[in-house]
Amino acid sequence: MRYKILNHQADLKIKFFGKNKNDLFQNAMAGMQTALRPKLETKRKKIVRKIRIQSPDPESLLVDFLSEVNYLNEANNEAYKGLKFNKFSDTELEAELLGEKVESFGFVIKGVTYHNLEIRQKKNGKWEATVIFDI
Amino acid sequence: MKVPARIYASEKILEQTESEALEQVVNVATLPGIVKYSIAMPDIHTGYGFAIGGVAATALPDGVISPGGIGYDQNCGTRLLLSEVNESEIKPRLDELATEIQKEVPSGLGRGRKIKLSIGQIERVLEGGAKYLVEKGYGEKEDVENCESGGCLSEADASKVSEHAKNRGRDQVGTLGSGNHFLEIQRVEKILNPEIAKIFGLFENQIVIFIHTGSRGLGHQNCTDYLKIMMRAIPKYGIKLPDRELACVPLSSPEGQNFFKAMCAGANFAWANRQMIIYYARLAWKKIVGESKLKLLYDVAHNIAKIEEHEVDGKKIKLCVHRKGATRAFPPGHPEILEKYRSVGQPVLIPGSMGTASYVLAGTEKSKDAWHTVCHGAGRIMSRHEALRRVSGQDIVKKLADEGIIVKCRSKKGIAEEAPIAYKDIDEVVDVVQNAGLANKVARLKPLAVIKGE
C-alpha cells in the first residue's frame, strides 16, 4: 500500500508508506495528488518541473517538499504523477516532477501541517509518516 | 502555563469538543508575552498550533506573534450586502439570480478568473486592499467605510510577501475557494433586536447576500512561508514551545515585523477578494433584479492579528490580538466603529453551516473580557469522510430543495462534506455568545440559495 486516507474531523489526513525514505516521499506526492481530485485537461500535454529543497530535518523536508508541490499545483494548474529524484538526503532533495495541466481540482490545500508529524521506521524496516493537510 | 485558559461553552458544546482542542488552548497559554487568558470561543475545534476559535493577546513590544494564531487563510472573513427588496419580490427570479452569480463568481479551483493580474498589480492590491479596488471603480465609498479597517491595513508591505504567494494570487481576486466558503442569498428570517436592526438597516424578509471567503492561495502561501521562517528563527530567541505549530517570534524582532507586514498584505488581498466578489455579485443582481441597490452592512475578519489598545489592570496598553476562527466585536462607543453604528456596537457576522441559519450580532462592552471577540461560525464536529459515509450530496441538495433552498455547486461530494450534521448547532453556539454577554443578537438569517462557485 502506498498511502491511506484516514478520518479527520476537519481536514485531510493521509498516512504514507515506503520501503525507504525516497519511496515514502514518492508515495506522499502520489497520495496528495490523488486527494486533490484533479480533472485533467483533454489535451494531455506532458510537463516537467524541477525543484530543489533544503530543510533542517526529514520532517521539515517532507513538509517543504509537499508545500512546494502544492504551490506548483495551484500556480500552474498542474497535477503531477511522476517524480524522479536526482538528489535525496535527510535534508536536501532535487527532483523532476512529471505532470499535466488540469481543468480543475476538487478542493484546495491551504497548508501542509507539521501536526503530530513523525517520519519513522517500523520494525519490519518499512517507513511511514502521517501528514495532515489544512483544507 | 503563563495564564489561565478560558473557554466559552455550554455543557453540551463542551461534551462535543475534542480534548485535543482543549490541549491547544492550554498550549497557547505558554506563549511568551501572553496577557490575561488563552481564550476559546464556543465553535472551538482542533487546529494547528492554536485551536480554531482561539484568541490570544500578547503585549507589545516583545510579546510574540504566531502565524498559527491567524491560520493559513489569512483574513478569512465575511461580508453582508443588504438589498432594498423582500423575499416575495425576488422569489420568481431567485434561481436565475443564483445561476448568474455562480457564473460571475468562480470557485477558482484550477479555473481562476479569466484575468490574470501582473505582479505589479498584485502588489498594488496587497498594499491597497479593498480601498485600492474601490478607487479603481470596483465599488462604492461605503464599501470602504463599512469594512473593518477600511478594507486596508496601512502596515502592509508587498515586498515582505514572497513571489510564490504573489504568483498564486494572480488569477484569484474575485474567487470563492472551496470547502466551507460560499456566497448565499438569504432572507432576514427574524429581527431579534429592533433598535439595532433599524440602525444597521435590516428589516424582516429583507433579501441579503452573505459572503464567506479569504485570501485564497496567496494567504495560504504567505502563512506557509512565514511558518518556515519562524521555525528556523525560534532558537535565536530562546523560545521553548509545547507544539511546533505554535512557532512564534517577538513582534519587535525583524522576523516578527516582516511577518506582521506580510500578514497585513495578505489581509488586504482578502478584502480585495471580497470586494471583487461583491462587484461581480452586483453585476449579476443588476442584470436579473434591476437597479435596486446592494449596500454593504459590514465586512469583518475572523483569521487575523491586529494591534489594538485594551484596558489591562486599569491601564491602556497595546496588544497584538490573535483571532483564529474568531471575530472582532467592538462595543458601543468604540472609536474604530463607523459613526453611524457607534451607538449600538460593531456589526458582527456569523455564518452557520450550509442550509442552516446565519446571524448578525452587535458587540458589547462585556466582551472586553475576551478582547472584544466572539465566535466565527458553527465549528466542525465530524470528519468529511464520516459525513460522506452518512449522507449523499444528492440527498442534501434534495432536502434543501424541499426546504426551498437552491444549491448551486460543481461537486455533490463537496456538498455532502459540508452537511449540517458535520457541524455544531449554530443556534447553540450563538446562544453561548449572547448568554456570556459577548454580543447581542440582532437578526437571524436563513438561506434561499447557496452558491459554491462554478
Side-chain angles (χ1 to χ4, degrees):
Chain A
M1 189 189 284
R2 299 179 75 189
Y3 56 83
K4 187 176 177 189
I5 297 177
L6 304 175
N7 233 351
H8 188 272
Q9 187 165 312
D11 292 314
L12 176 65
K13 185 174 176 179
I14 313 181
K15 190 167 190 171
F16 305 114
F17 306 94
K19 47 185 189 287
N20 49 46
K21 279 188 207 158
N22 182 312
D23 192 42
L24 178 76
F25 274 55
Q26 298 258 3
N27 295 334
M29 191 185 87
M32 176 196 169
Q33 298 299 283
T34 302
L36 280 171
R37 300 181 208 150
K39 186 178 172 194
L40 298 177
E41 273 188 2
T42 46
K43 271 185 237 169
R44 309 307 298 265
K45 183 182 155 197
K46 299 266 184 276
I47 284 157
V48 177
R49 296 277 173 198
K50 291 186 178 176
I51 62 171
R52 183 169 179 255
I53 312 277
Q54 281 181 307
S55 307
D57 54 70
E59 283 78 12
S60 298
L61 188 68
L62 181 59
V63 170
D64 293 343
F65 166 63
L66 293 174
S67 296
E68 183 66 10
V69 175
N70 189 42
Y71 161 73
L72 291 170
N73 285 142
E74 199 171 293
N76 300 310
N77 293 327
E78 292 166 0
Y80 307 103
K81 54 182 186 182
L83 174 60
K84 182 171 155 255
F85 286 114
N86 294 322
K87 192 173 188 179
F88 187 90
S89 72
D90 275 3
T91 56
E92 192 177 358
L93 65 87
E94 277 179 30
E96 288 172 27
L97 278 56
L98 310 165
E100 292 177 50
K101 288 286 184 197
V102 304
E103 268 187 26
S104 63
F105 291 103
F107 58 84
V108 165
I109 286 176
K110 291 178 182 169
V112 183
T113 80
Y114 289 82
H115 195 78
N116 293 336
L117 174 58
E118 192 196 341
I119 297 177
R120 58 188 202 99
Q121 189 172 27
K122 290 162 39 175
K123 285 188 187 141
N124 61 7
K126 298 272 192 330
W127 291 83
E128 65 180 35
T130 303
V131 176
I132 300 177
F133 300 85
D134 184 337
I135 59 171
Chain B
M1 288 168 80
K2 293 181 163 65
V3 294
R6 169 179 277 194
I7 295 156
Y8 288 90
S10 61
E11 293 278 355
K12 180 176 176 185
I13 283 174
L14 206 52
E15 276 167 29
Q16 288 175 322
T17 301
E18 63 281 15
S19 57
E20 193 172 12
L22 302 178
E23 278 164 31
Q24 289 183 330
V25 184
V26 169
N27 287 345
V28 166
T30 67
L31 288 178
I34 189 168
V35 175
K36 288 220 107 167
Y37 295 102
S38 165
I39 297 167
M41 288 295 141
D43 52 347
I44 175 182
H45 61 279
T46 308
Y48 306 107
F50 278 61
I52 291 149
V55 187
T58 57
L60 270 52
D62 295 328
V64 297
I65 186 164
S66 173
I70 292 133
Y72 285 98
D73 198 351
Q74 296 175 340
N75 190 4
C76 189
T78 53
R79 60 172 50 189
L80 188 66
L81 290 174
L82 308 184
S83 82
E84 298 163 331
V85 305
N86 65 38
E87 188 191 359
S88 58
E89 292 173 80
I90 208 99
K91 204 130 191 187
R93 309 204 71 183
L94 182 64
D95 193 73
E96 246 183 293
L97 176 62
T99 303
E100 189 66 22
I101 290 177
Q102 190 195 25
K103 195 162 63 91
E104 288 287 347
V105 185
S107 65
L109 272 55
R111 276 177 289 209
R113 295 222 71 92
K114 293 189 182 79
I115 301 163
K116 200 161 180 162
L117 300 182
S118 68
I119 294 292
Q121 286 171 316
I122 284 289
E123 287 175 347
R124 286 191 279 281
V125 169
L126 288 172
E127 294 195 353
K131 198 168 148 201
Y132 167 69
L133 289 184
V134 168
E135 284 165 5
K136 285 282 176 202
Y138 293 103
E140 298 154 13
K141 195 167 62 97
E142 286 104 343
D143 294 345
V144 168
E145 288 169 357
N146 296 359
C147 185
E148 178 183 349
S149 300
C152 176
L153 289 170
S154 58
E155 297 95 332
D157 184 344
S159 72
K160 306 300 179 194
V161 176
S162 71
E163 291 304 302
H164 267 25
K166 288 169 191 170
N167 268 327
R168 279 176 80 170
R170 287 178 64 196
D171 62 353
Q172 293 190 339
V173 183
T175 61
L176 273 176
S178 63
N180 62 7
H181 291 165
F182 64 82
L183 182 151
E184 281 188 3
I185 304 168
Q186 302 174 337
R187 69 176 179 94
V188 177
E189 182 201 51
K190 199 172 164 104
I191 295 292
L192 300 162
N193 187 313
E195 183 206 332
I196 302 177
K198 191 170 179 196
I199 290 175
F200 285 177
L202 294 162
F203 56 86
E204 212 155 278
N205 286 319
Q206 180 186 24
I207 295 297
V208 299
I209 293 182
F210 202 121
I211 292 142
H212 173 219
T213 188
S215 51
R216 305 284 285 107
L218 185 141
H220 308 162
Q221 186 71 45
N222 214 12
C223 179
T224 293
D225 294 338
Y226 277 93
L227 266 172
K228 188 172 163 177
I229 290 168
M230 292 219 186
M231 282 186 188
R232 285 147 173 82
I234 286 172
K236 249 202 300 186
Y237 302 103
I239 294 172
K240 298 222 180 321
L241 296 167
D243 179 356
R244 199 169 180 171
E245 294 261 340
L246 277 175
C248 57
V249 294
L251 179 59
S252 56
S253 68
E255 296 90 351
Q257 284 295 296
N258 288 344
F259 171 64
F260 182 67
K261 290 169 188 172
M263 185 222 70
C264 289
N268 289 351
F269 185 88
W271 276 314
N273 187 32
R274 292 199 284 275
Q275 186 60 40
M276 276 319 283
I277 286 174
I278 71 167
Y279 172 75
Y280 289 114
R282 281 172 172 151
L283 287 180
W285 180 271
K286 189 174 175 181
K287 184 174 174 182
I288 305 298
V289 179
E291 290 295 330
S292 74
K293 296 239 179 269
L294 286 175
K295 286 190 155 307
L296 181 66
L297 167 63
Y298 205 62
D299 177 308
V300 66
H302 53 236
N303 272 10
I304 202 161
K306 300 290 278 297
I307 309 299
E308 294 172 357
E309 202 174 72
H310 289 266
E311 194 176 295
V312 179
D313 300 327
K315 273 194 261 186
K316 291 250 187 225
I317 64 168
K318 276 209 164 125
L319 299 174
C320 177
V321 183
H322 297 73
R323 296 184 175 98
K324 179 178 171 173
T327 313
R328 191 189 76 177
F330 277 158
H334 196 286
E336 270 199 51
I337 303 175
L338 199 62
E339 204 180 317
K340 63 180 175 181
Y341 301 148
R342 205 171 288 158
S343 62
V344 296
Q346 177 214 300
V348 180
L349 311 173
I350 306 294
S353 54
M354 189 180 55
T356 65
S358 300
Y359 279 89
V360 178
L361 301 100
T364 64
E365 184 54 38
K366 189 155 192 316
S367 70
K368 70 180 181 215
D369 294 346
W371 309 124
H372 295 302
T373 312
V374 297
C375 62
H376 82 306
R380 227 181 146 99
I381 52 170
M382 184 188 290
S383 72
R384 286 180 163 74
H385 179 84
E386 182 63 19
L388 279 170
R389 211 181 58 80
R390 291 206 199 181
V391 295
S392 78
Q394 196 123 332
D395 287 345
I396 298 283
V397 171
K398 186 175 175 311
K399 183 172 178 292
L400 291 175
D402 290 343
E403 293 170 26
I405 302 171
I406 296 165
V407 178
K408 299 283 181 190
C409 61
R410 280 187 313 123
S411 156
K412 297 266 181 352
K413 202 170 182 180
I415 295 294
E417 288 169 344
E418 293 302 314
I421 51 162
Y423 288 85
K424 293 179 190 175
D425 184 321
I426 186 64
D427 295 326
E428 287 177 10
V429 168
V430 172
D431 276 348
V432 170
V433 162
Q434 168 124 336
N435 294 341
L438 300 179
N440 290 318
K441 291 183 208 172
V442 176
R444 192 172 189 270
L445 315 173
K446 282 291 278 181
L448 298 173
V450 178
I451 293 138
K452 301 290 279 181
E454 52 118 358

